[in-house]
Amino acid sequence: MERLLRGIPASPGIVVGPVHRLVWEVPEVRHAMVASDSVDAELRRFRQALERAEARIQQVRARAERNAGPEEAKIFDFQVEILRDPALVDEVEEFIRGHRAAEHAFDLVMLEWRRKFALAAQPMLRERVGDLKDVHIRVLTVLLGLPDHDPVDVPKGANAILVTHDLTPSLTVQLDREAIAAIATDAGTRTAHVAILARSLRLPAVVGLRDATARLRGDERLILDGSRGELLVNPSEEEVAKYRGRAEREVAAELELRHLAALEPVTTDGVRIVLRANVDLPDEAEVAATSGAEGVGLMRTEFLVVGRATMPDEEEQYRAYSRVVRAFAGQPVIIRTFDVGGDKLPVGGYPTEANPFLGWRAIRMCLDEPELFKTQLRALMRAGADGDVRIMLPLVVTFDEVRQTRALLREAEAELAARGATYRPDLPLGVMVETPAAAVAADSLVEGVTFFSIGTNDLVQYTLAVDRGNVNLAARFTPLHPAVLRLIQRTVDIGRGAGLEVSVCGEMASQPLLAYALIGLGLRQLSVAPRSVPLLKRVVRGVSAERAAEAAREAAASRTAAEAEEIVRGHFIAALGEEFAAGAGLLGSGDGGSFHSSLSL
Ligand code: PEP
Ligand code: MG
């Protein structure tokens, strides 16, 4: 077997540890019948399996409560309800009485229930399909006597590398950080949410490995290199020593860069760039505030709802937002309203949609669920009393969405006023430009808003029609495609012309070569992973904005992403030197996938 498995670098860091292979798929069940005199025994076996599965879920629930919190643990209550549902039990027992083996009977009923839930008119039911799958797997695992693969089985201190097909919300909330040291997934890309979450949790991760779960047996030892996107299977002691050396150098390089945190990001020709932090979890706020970032350019509030059974209420949201605002005392904190949907963690599971990225998500869902949206708006206005909060709307395609949000803001304000709450009513409102519609018709979105923030992860996805989470398309996800560059340029020109602040908060801004192109396109505000702030300061302080503008102009006028990359790279190396560029992981891959491997020291 090939010992080196290559994926996409998702979160930096090097870990050496045992594999914990987690296959969370419904096991295959043979169509088996039983004789009449075995029916009673089969019924008993089924009942016992339900009891054992429930005991297991309760155990998992308790762990999730310890690892993630009481709200997150509630996700498992529904699973217990399903197990106890008399209709479900009756249906299975009916099949058993018809001489089907217990696992066969249960499998048939669950397949039908999952189909019905997926097609249900009520979103609440559709969202439960994931829980049904969990229950399906749990009970069959018991009935078939299969090994139980839960991540919760890993003992503390195991330093294990979790290898799984994809990380779902219900798996995420079970992760015991004292047992799991790194993550490797078959699915996913750098901008998929598993990658974003891994970076926020500071868990080294490699995604997009395609078939790691199939290739590994589960008893191997691995080196996971999150910066290079590699797994090395059963390494020799020499190899371990080599990687440990590299890990030490990475840490030293990061420390070395940290002293840059205090420096001003000014280009060699005197252009001041504002670097802000992307904060995904309130827990990150205090550390992010020491990165040298001047405020928060994007707080992804949807991570507050990871794997939960219910939405956080106003008070809980207020506390989360206020924590970030206080950590960044006095600096701007741009908080994005819920961007749930797509590949992002809806409460309780996924509403099943044929095209989730084109589906009922983000501002669309919020406007259709005004009570849910107003709860968030009230929490934001209350947090506004604690600092400089600005509200940002995701996935806007039309000014109607801004107008409707304003109306809800007024209602939310009236509700706070009636209660005598402390809040700030006139929070600045901004629009994310992350669809071609918003970029092309940016002039239609400027009224009454104070900033645009370009979400390049989605803008690239929608412009190039390339699913950001699809590993088979990773090399085609090219932020330097001239179409993308021209849309960004247009957004900057229109936004600036209207007196708005224009920033970029997508992953593009975190990658030095691409950040250089953005500066060239005229961006003066970039919001990046906190860990990238010092490195970007180094980039900003080494380049001329005028030269960058030349590079960006040429790149935007080129025909292909590859041509554009060559142009930008040439200017970038001329400014910062081969050595820096190589050290930043920018050279050498030459395979179009380099956008994904670029830099993450
Ligand atoms: C983006 O789309 O670039 C963005 C910043 O938002 P998210 O990655 O959360 O979709
Ligand atoms: Mg987005």
Side-chain angles (χ1 to χ4, degrees):
M1 176 186 124
E2 181 67 62
R3 283 178 56 237
L4 185 67
L5 310 186
R6 284 184 204 278
I8 295 168
S11 178
I14 294 174
V15 171
V16 184
V19 169
H20 179 69
R21 183 169 169 272
L22 173 70
V23 178
W24 195 243
E25 293 301 326
V26 177
E28 221 168 293
V29 176
R30 282 188 307 116
H31 291 207
M33 305 300 277
V34 294
S36 301
D37 56 1
S38 303
V39 165
D40 283 345
E42 211 55 15
L43 287 169
R44 270 198 306 280
R45 200 161 72 81
F46 171 57
R47 288 283 179 161
Q48 280 163 1
L50 291 182
E51 276 168 28
R52 283 195 31 213
E54 179 170 338
R56 194 74 180 92
I57 293 173
Q58 297 290 10
Q59 224 181 5
V60 171
R61 188 192 189 290
R63 294 263 190 128
E65 186 158 352
R66 282 200 298 280
N67 293 336
E71 276 305 322
E72 286 75 4
K74 281 193 193 148
I75 197 171
F76 298 100
D77 291 347
F78 179 71
Q79 299 189 9
V80 172
E81 271 174 45
I82 300 172
L83 280 176
R84 292 182 183 168
D85 192 312
L88 183 121
V89 176
D90 279 354
E91 280 180 42
V92 177
E93 292 192 342
E94 215 28 63
F95 273 124
I96 298 177
R97 285 194 197 94
H99 295 119
R100 289 178 202 270
E103 51 272 18
H104 180 30
F106 184 72
D107 191 41
L108 285 175
V109 172
M110 286 310 282
L111 286 172
E112 181 55 19
W113 275 50
R114 283 171 62 187
R115 196 185 64 82
K116 274 196 297 207
F117 271 60
L119 296 176
Q122 305 92 316
M124 278 297 286
L125 291 183
R126 291 201 304 270
E127 286 168 7
R128 293 303 177 200
V129 174
D131 292 308
L132 283 171
K133 180 181 170 192
D134 280 6
V135 169
H136 196 169
I137 297 171
R138 289 233 180 257
V139 176
L140 285 183
T141 302
V142 178
L143 284 170
L144 296 169
L146 297 172
D148 197 333
H149 282 304
D150 272 2
V152 294
D153 280 341
V154 188
K156 287 199 189 306
N159 199 47
I161 297 173
L162 177 69
V163 181
T164 186
H165 181 66
D166 201 1
L167 205 59
T168 61
S170 71
L171 289 179
T172 311
V173 296
Q174 291 178 61
L175 276 189
D176 181 350
R177 299 283 312 283
E178 289 175 43
I180 302 290
I183 303 173
T185 61
D186 292 339
T189 60
R190 202 185 141 78
T191 53
H193 284 81
V194 48
I196 292 172
L197 197 62
R199 286 195 287 277
S200 301
L201 294 169
R202 292 193 154 242
L203 268 179
V206 177
V207 299
L209 285 151
R210 295 165 191 268
D211 56 0
T213 47
R215 295 231 233 154
L216 296 168
R217 282 194 314 270
D219 55 359
E220 299 89 343
R221 188 168 177 240
L222 288 182
I223 297 175
L224 178 144
D225 183 340
S227 312
R228 287 194 178 165
E230 291 172 359
L231 301 184
L232 188 63
V233 183
N234 290 332
S236 65
E237 283 315 309
E238 268 169 27
E239 285 166 333
V240 169
K242 206 172 100 200
Y243 272 86
R244 290 233 157 96
R246 237 171 66 69
E248 277 163 25
R249 286 196 298 281
E250 272 192 11
V251 173
E254 199 173 340
L255 283 177
E256 168 71 22
L257 284 168
R258 279 203 79 85
H259 80 267
L260 293 171
L263 298 179
E264 272 218 325
V266 184
T267 61
T268 54
D269 49 352
V271 175
R272 177 73 161 82
I273 306 291
V274 174
L275 296 175
R276 294 192 184 128
N278 287 354
V279 170
D280 301 326
L281 305 167
D283 289 354
E284 280 182 275
E286 291 77 18
V287 174
T290 66
S291 65
E294 299 173 76
V296 172
L298 163 65
M299 178 180 176
R300 287 186 169 93
T301 58
E302 57 278 5
F303 285 99
L304 292 179
V305 306
V306 171
R308 292 180 38 151
T310 55
M311 291 299 276
D313 64 15
E314 181 189 315
E315 186 58 30
E316 190 184 342
Q317 288 188 51
Y318 162 69
R319 275 188 267 116
Y321 307 148
S322 181
R323 175 169 174 186
V324 179
V325 170
R326 286 170 199 272
F328 281 87
Q331 292 176 317
V333 173
I334 297 178
I335 304 183
R336 178 172 74 184
T337 58
F338 289 128
D339 187 1
V340 175
D343 69 338
K344 278 186 237 173
L345 325 162
V347 164
Y350 286 71
T352 314
E353 291 186 316
N355 290 302
F357 278 116
L358 305 182
W360 191 63
R361 52 171 295 207
I363 189 70
R364 303 164 185 188
M365 187 208 69
C366 285
L367 290 171
D368 288 352
E369 299 278 345
E371 289 312 317
L372 177 154
F373 196 18
K374 277 195 294 174
T375 304
Q376 182 171 40
L377 297 176
R378 287 194 304 270
L380 288 169
M381 281 191 268
R382 285 175 57 195
D386 302 332
D388 182 357
V389 173
R390 305 175 187 182
I391 302 180
M392 176 155 83
L393 308 179
L395 209 77
V396 168
V397 296
T398 158
F399 186 68
D400 289 336
E401 290 153 343
V402 180
R403 204 187 339 244
Q404 287 175 42
T405 301
R406 280 202 183 292
L408 291 175
L409 270 166
R410 281 193 296 272
E411 283 181 32
E413 184 194 336
E415 287 158 9
L416 287 171
R419 240 167 56 194
T422 309
Y423 65 96
R424 193 180 139 203
D426 52 346
L427 298 182
L429 188 63
V431 161
M432 278 198 83
V433 175
E434 51 181 350
T435 60
V440 170
D443 51 309
S444 69
L445 298 174
V446 297
E447 189 190 314
V449 307
T450 63
F451 64 95
F452 282 160
S453 187
I454 305 174
T456 50
N457 304 337
D458 279 316
L459 186 62
V460 173
Q461 152 166 278
Y462 295 123
T463 303
L464 304 181
V466 167
D467 176 346
R468 61 193 267 186
N470 185 335
V471 58
N472 296 322
L473 298 174
R476 288 185 165 85
F477 189 92
T478 49
L480 291 179
H481 188 295
V484 176
L485 298 181
R486 290 175 209 176
L487 287 178
I488 295 175
Q489 183 72 70
R490 181 176 171 80
T491 308
V492 172
D493 292 346
I494 292 174
R496 285 267 194 73
L500 270 53
E501 179 186 290
V502 184
S503 65
V504 166
C505 61
E507 278 306 309
M508 192 175 173
S510 289
Q511 297 174 267
L513 182 72
L514 308 184
Y516 177 68
L518 292 172
I519 293 169
L521 289 169
L523 285 142
R524 299 295 175 255
Q525 270 91 16
L526 302 176
S527 189
V528 301
R531 203 166 176 166
S532 304
V533 170
L535 179 69
L536 284 186
K537 286 201 174 175
R538 164 88 174 79
V539 172
V540 169
R541 292 170 63 87
V543 303
S544 128
E546 208 181 305
R547 271 300 290 280
E550 251 172 64
R553 249 195 318 276
E554 273 180 54
S558 67
R559 281 172 311 178
T560 68
E563 277 175 33
E565 182 176 352
E566 205 181 304
I567 293 164
V568 176
R569 193 187 291 275
H571 286 260
F572 184 78
I573 291 173
L576 289 158
E578 291 263 356
E579 203 185 328
F580 174 82
L586 288 161
L587 296 176
S589 86
D591 63 355
S594 54
F595 293 109
H596 297 275
S597 54
S598 330
L599 198 269
S600 25
L601 266 180

